[in-house]
Amino acid sequence: MDASEERDDDADLRAQIEEIEALSSIYAEEWCVIDEAARVFCIRVSDDSQQPKLTLCLQIILPPDYPSSAPPIYQINAGWLRGADRMSLSNSLEELYVENTGESILYLWVEKIREFLVEKSQSADGPEMGKTVTTEEEGHDYDEDDLPDYSMLKLANQSAQLFSSASDDEELPLIKHGETITDRRSTFQPHLAAVVTPKQVQRVLNHLYENKKIASATHNIYAYRIYCEDKNSFLQDCEDDGETAAGGRLLHLLQILDVRNVLVVVSRWYGGILLGPDRFKHINNCARSILIQEGYTDTSEEASKPGGKNKRPKGKKAR
């Protein structure tokens, strides 16, 4: 590391310390330090400070090169926030980052989220707050090591621009549906689409939620990986939709199989009986099954090993 890089690192660290001090002062009890050494924090954001109707938690990790050249890594935790609304909010945060690259962004993010919550709470199509969106006891049936690696879930600076530059008239990819798995009255079904832009991901999710049966699922867990050939990197993300840690596990499966340019959604209709860790097995088995069905991988043991050959749909041209 040369002297200029050391100066940049020092400047980033000073900027982070100043931003953290300011945010902890502004948001007081809403600001939470999860792991100071790892720079992991959480901010509780509500639509109203006195009588909140909608609340979510913004979990963030500050990488060493934030804010100069990298965005915060983030996850939005809110069981009621689903589908197109979640994607829209994420897009707005990423667009804010692109507009303010190199600057401290967290205050702008928090206030953008607050604006979103206020608009959502006042709209006629607000979320059904009485609906239960978490089916299992959280935090008791998986190890800490099984939690998703948040550093792999959100965009790097270069990838973030793909969200803002993508056109609004992206073609709706063909969506395939897989066989269901039923266990103790819970039913799981996978869906898959070939995608090459985040806008296509959003279009597929929107289209799936137009199906009343899929929209009524207790959880719609998804993960996608898009290969950016010009940058030799992956744009990838996942969503638990209330099924804690399921999205991270699903994304991990896509990474192990080294599939690319694909979105996999697994719908779960909860049957009233807790499945424990078996639910993760069914989610991943559903995903693996439809990936095999559509020619993205095969049944050999090599397909599940890291470092294997790149998997692409057999007989299909890359878009």
Side-chain angles (χ1 to χ4, degrees):
M1 181 182 295
D2 60 30
S4 63
E5 289 176 327
E6 289 181 359
R7 285 196 297 271
D8 289 343
D9 288 345
D10 290 343
D12 282 330
L13 180 58
R14 287 196 301 272
Q16 288 187 23
I17 292 173
E18 291 174 0
E19 185 176 20
I20 290 167
E21 289 177 350
L23 292 171
S24 62
S25 175
I26 294 170
Y27 298 113
E29 294 181 358
E30 294 179 337
W31 173 264
C32 176
V33 178
I34 297 176
D35 187 336
E36 188 167 11
R39 319 300 282 172
V40 184
F41 307 93
C42 185
I43 308 173
R44 183 175 178 270
V45 191
S46 303
D47 59 332
D48 186 287
S49 59
Q50 301 300 321
Q51 294 181 316
K53 295 179 182 178
L54 296 178
T55 299
L56 61 75
C57 289
L58 175 67
Q59 182 168 320
I60 54 170
I61 302 175
L62 301 182
D65 47 356
Y66 166 81
S68 66
S69 58
I73 300 153
Y74 73 93
Q75 176 152 315
I76 298 170
N77 298 322
W80 57 266
L81 184 61
R82 311 175 71 175
D85 282 339
R86 179 179 285 272
M87 183 69 76
S88 175
L89 179 56
S90 294
N91 286 350
S92 67
L93 298 185
E94 284 142 11
E95 288 168 3
L96 259 181
Y97 172 76
V98 172
E99 293 168 3
N100 298 273
T101 300
E103 301 176 16
S104 297
I105 195 70
L106 296 182
Y107 177 79
L108 295 178
W109 274 9
V110 172
E111 294 311 307
K112 173 62 73 173
I113 291 172
R114 199 182 308 280
E115 289 176 14
F116 172 84
L117 295 179
V118 170
E119 290 177 4
K120 194 67 180 172
S121 66
Q122 294 174 349
S123 67
D125 61 341
E128 299 178 40
M129 300 308 292
K131 181 177 179 181
T132 300
V133 296
T134 301
T135 61
E136 309 284 359
E137 299 93 341
E138 296 184 4
H140 296 291
D141 52 9
Y142 55 87
D143 296 331
E144 186 175 336
D145 291 342
D146 290 332
L147 290 172
D149 180 0
Y150 291 109
S151 67
M152 306 183 74
L153 301 189
K154 282 295 166 183
L155 306 174
N157 180 23
Q158 293 176 328
S159 300
Q161 298 177 27
L162 293 176
F163 278 93
S164 59
S165 62
S167 64
D168 292 329
D169 57 350
E170 291 280 356
E171 175 187 358
L172 175 65
L174 179 64
I175 303 173
K176 298 297 185 72
H177 307 279
E179 296 296 321
T180 61
I181 294 176
T182 300
D183 180 12
R184 286 164 280 180
R185 298 206 299 258
S186 278
T187 299
F188 303 78
Q189 183 182 26
H191 322 280
L192 177 148
V195 294
V196 292
T197 69
K199 286 290 185 181
Q200 286 188 330
V201 172
Q202 184 170 359
R203 286 216 61 189
V204 171
L205 294 173
N206 291 346
H207 187 76
L208 286 173
Y209 283 118
E210 290 173 4
N211 181 300
K212 292 183 178 179
K213 180 181 179 182
I214 294 173
S216 70
T218 317
H219 311 288
N220 283 297
I221 303 110
Y222 70 79
Y224 67 84
R225 295 186 86 216
I226 297 172
Y227 181 61
C228 307
E229 190 167 359
D230 56 336
K231 300 179 177 65
N232 192 29
S233 62
F234 283 93
L235 178 61
Q236 55 193 8
D237 195 8
C238 65
E239 168 54 38
D240 296 338
D241 195 20
E243 189 73 288
T244 305
R249 292 165 183 260
L250 182 55
L251 178 58
H252 185 57
L253 175 67
L254 302 187
Q255 292 164 342
I256 289 175
L257 298 179
D258 194 22
V259 295
R260 56 186 62 188
N261 299 338
V262 65
L263 163 70
V264 176
V265 182
V266 178
S267 302
R268 180 194 180 182
W269 291 268
Y270 179 53
I273 299 175
L274 300 178
L275 302 186
D278 283 349
R279 67 193 191 277
F280 299 121
K281 176 183 69 177
H282 296 322
I283 291 166
N284 274 18
N285 282 345
C286 273
R288 186 186 295 271
S289 174
I290 199 168
L291 286 166
I292 293 171
Q293 171 189 309
E294 296 305 315
Y296 281 83
T297 185
D298 54 45
T299 56
S300 69
E301 289 299 317
E302 285 298 313
S304 63
K305 293 181 181 178
K309 63 181 181 179
N310 293 338
K311 307 301 186 298
R312 295 179 178 83
K314 296 176 182 176
K316 298 179 183 179
K317 293 182 180 180
R319 290 184 171 184

